[in-house]
């Protein structure tokens, strides 16, 4: 696998090249100080499969981070992180695959 990364002041991009004719690209752009939108696409040449996805991230000044991802492969992912204090943070995660109708959820904490 070969990764080429670019990180600008308000954007990030990555190109991936791999075995079996794998090609991938992702890009995320900050629209405001707190909101970023992005997308990705890939091609698996030997399997003749492709896919794409869209993502959003909101980072509040109060210590909250929310993300959402939707992909053509059927995956929907939501996550939320909340800083409770200088030592404690809480996080949750939900994933749903609309092709298989399966979902998973998790919750956790971080104590420093």
């Amino acid at each position: 696998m070969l990764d080429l990364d670019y990180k600008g002041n308000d954007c990030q991009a990555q190109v991936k090249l791999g075995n079996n004719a794998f090609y991938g690209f992702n890009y995320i752009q900050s629209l405001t100080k707190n909101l970023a939108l992005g997308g990705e696409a890939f091609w698996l040449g030997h399997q003749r499969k492709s896919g794409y996805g869209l993502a959003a991230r909101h980072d509040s000044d109060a210590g909250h981070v929310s993300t959402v991802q939707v992909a053509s492969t059927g995956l929907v992912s939501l996550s939320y992180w909340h800083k409770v204090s200088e030592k404690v943070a809480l996080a949750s995660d939900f994933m749903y695959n609309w092709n298989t109708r399966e979902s998973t959820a998790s919750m956790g904490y971080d104590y420093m």
Side-chain angles (χ1 to χ4, degrees):
M1 182 75 71
L2 171 68
D3 292 346
L4 302 171
D5 297 320
Y6 171 77
K7 184 172 182 178
N9 291 333
D10 63 349
C11 67
Q12 292 182 12
Q14 183 180 60
V15 175
K16 293 182 175 234
L17 307 171
N19 292 343
N20 299 322
F22 173 79
Y23 306 100
F25 175 76
N26 63 58
Y27 181 80
I28 190 159
Q29 174 73 51
S30 293
L31 299 179
T32 68
K33 178 180 124 182
N34 297 353
L35 180 65
L37 299 176
E40 65 180 344
F42 69 89
W43 168 253
L44 298 169
H46 287 278
Q47 297 177 13
R48 297 197 178 272
K49 291 185 180 180
S50 64
Y52 61 89
L54 300 172
R57 174 187 165 104
H58 183 266
D59 187 356
S60 77
D61 296 328
H64 313 299
V65 178
S66 303
T67 65
V68 61
Q69 297 174 316
V70 179
S72 64
T73 58
L75 181 68
V76 176
S77 174
L78 306 168
S79 68
Y80 178 74
W81 178 85
H82 178 82
K83 185 176 182 178
V84 177
S85 69
E86 288 300 316
K87 292 188 175 198
V88 178
L90 302 174
S92 63
D93 167 34
F94 175 77
M95 289 181 29
Y96 176 70
N97 187 321
W98 73 65
N99 293 331
T100 62
R101 308 254 191 267
E102 294 177 349
S103 63
T104 60
S106 62
M107 293 172 48
Y109 68 93
D110 186 20
Y111 179 79
M112 296 215 204

